[in-house]
């Protein structure tokens, strides 16, 4: 595990050190790991070149709203698949499983055509709406709900609690680890999303942080990699910090429905 962690952390360490380097230090042979100085010149250039505050707020807002709606839809769909009886329930769950097998890239063209026909290019809803349905979240919530004690929900129903009351008052408090896991996965996915926002947005005021990095690239191919690495650190650091804080919840949530009996 130590070797695996070391291998996975090398790119991150290199990115951090390179964000303080000048171009001649990055291209030096033999390889120079440490920068000559830790002066934040590259970070200052990022702030001068990009509307970094606006990009950060765009990413933060889209991540919070997008992951929140994904969890809400996943919770409601999973609750219906477990605790409601309706015709074709197994077929619906089969469709959810099948959706996990479809790569996102396959749906790009029809989604783009739909968003363009609705006039949602260069809009926040154009970025958010096509990716709101989360088959992964629905599947994980369903597997966890199957492990919940049915007697508690039956007692709540006898006391007159409806489905909404049972979901928010009983199911939700018993599912916090799974909710944290789905929330973390959704936040990471929303924060790191690049291809779809890149296709539907070309206005710098609406771009997210990953897409905004393209504004630092020169068309002649002579990029200042120190500046690009500094911007990449700014993109990576917030979500990495969230992941480190919630990693225990992630493991507990992903294993919550693994064993039944």
């Amino acid at each position: 595990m130590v070797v695996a962690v070391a291998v996975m952390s090398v790119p991150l360490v290199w990115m951090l050190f390179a964000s303080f380097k000048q171009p001649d230090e990055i291209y030096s042979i033999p390889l120079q790991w440490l920068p000559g100085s830790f002066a934040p010149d590259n970070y200052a250039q990022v702030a001068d070149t990009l509307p970094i505050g606006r990009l950060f707020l765009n990413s933060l807002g889209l991540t919070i709203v997008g992951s929140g709606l994904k969890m809400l839809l996943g919770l409601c769909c999973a609750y219906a698949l477990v605790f409601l009886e309706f015709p074709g329930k197994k077929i619906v769950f089969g469709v959810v499983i099948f959706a996990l097998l479809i790569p996102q890239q396959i749906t790009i063209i029809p989604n783009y055509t739909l968003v363009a026909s609705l006039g949602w290019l260069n809009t926040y809803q154009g970025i958010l709406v096509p990716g709101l349905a989360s088959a992964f979240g629905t599947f994980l919530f369903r597997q966890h709900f199957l492990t919940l004690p049915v007697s508690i929900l039956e007692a709540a129903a006898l006391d007159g609690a409806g489905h909404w009351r049972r979901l928010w008052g009983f199911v939700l408090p018993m599912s916090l680890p799974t909710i944290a896991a789905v929330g973390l996965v959704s936040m990471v996915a929303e924060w790191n999303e690049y291809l779809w926002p890149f296709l539907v947005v070309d206005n710098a005021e609406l771009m997210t942080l990953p897409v905004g990095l393209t504004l630092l690239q020169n068309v002649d191919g002579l990029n200042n990699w120190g500046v690009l690495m500094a911007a990449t650190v700014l993109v990576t650091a917030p979500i990495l910090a969230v992941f480190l804080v919630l990693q225990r919840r992630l493991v507990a949530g992903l294993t919550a429905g693994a064993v039944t009996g």
Side-chain angles (χ1 to χ4, degrees):
M1 290 183 64
V2 172
V3 174
V5 170
V7 171
M8 289 185 290
S9 62
V10 165
L12 296 176
V13 174
W14 169 256
M15 176 182 67
L16 179 62
F17 287 157
S19 67
F20 294 98
K21 292 181 179 180
Q22 299 302 315
D24 58 333
E25 295 177 315
I26 295 178
Y27 292 107
S28 65
I29 299 177
L31 181 66
Q32 178 182 341
W33 275 91
L34 295 177
S37 68
F38 284 90
D41 296 338
N42 292 330
Y43 291 91
Q45 187 170 342
V46 170
D48 293 338
T49 306
L50 298 179
I52 195 69
R54 180 71 180 187
L55 297 178
F56 180 82
L57 290 177
N58 289 340
S59 287
L60 182 63
L62 290 171
T63 298
I64 293 174
V65 175
S67 58
L69 290 175
K70 278 184 177 181
M71 286 192 293
L72 177 63
L73 292 175
L75 280 169
C76 294
C77 184
Y79 180 91
L81 289 173
V82 175
F83 300 111
L84 297 182
E85 295 296 332
F86 56 90
K89 184 166 73 170
K90 292 184 178 180
I91 297 176
V92 173
F93 179 65
V95 172
V96 172
I97 296 298
F98 184 73
L100 290 171
L101 306 177
I102 301 177
Q104 180 186 4
Q105 292 78 7
I106 292 179
T107 61
I108 282 180
I109 294 178
N111 279 338
Y112 184 87
T113 303
L114 176 61
V115 168
S117 65
L118 293 174
W120 286 359
L121 297 179
N122 282 311
T123 61
Y124 291 125
Q125 62 267 29
I127 300 175
L128 276 177
V129 173
L132 286 183
S134 173
F136 171 77
T138 301
F139 172 76
L140 203 62
F141 282 135
R142 176 189 179 274
Q143 296 305 107
H144 173 67
F145 290 170
L146 291 174
T147 66
L148 297 180
V150 181
S151 57
I152 295 179
L153 298 180
E154 291 176 346
L158 290 176
D159 287 339
H163 288 297
W164 281 107
R165 172 62 177 162
R166 276 177 266 173
L167 173 60
W168 300 110
F170 298 91
V171 175
L172 197 67
M174 293 187 292
S175 307
L176 292 181
T178 304
I179 291 173
V182 174
L184 179 57
V185 172
S186 300
M187 284 189 291
V188 171
E190 291 289 336
W191 183 271
N192 293 334
E193 183 65 42
Y194 171 77
L195 182 58
W196 179 250
F198 178 75
L199 291 175
V200 298
V201 171
D202 57 15
N203 183 351
E205 292 298 316
L206 300 174
M207 288 181 178
T208 59
L209 278 171
V211 180
L213 294 184
T214 59
L215 300 177
L216 293 173
Q217 294 179 333
N218 296 328
V219 294
D220 56 5
L222 299 176
N223 296 314
N224 188 333
W225 291 108
V227 176
L228 281 171
M229 290 299 101
T232 306
V233 170
L234 295 177
V235 174
T236 307
I239 202 66
L240 184 61
V242 172
F243 178 81
L244 293 176
V245 171
L246 298 179
Q247 59 177 332
R248 293 182 181 273
R249 294 278 188 175
L250 175 63
V251 174
L254 292 176
T255 57
V259 179
T260 59

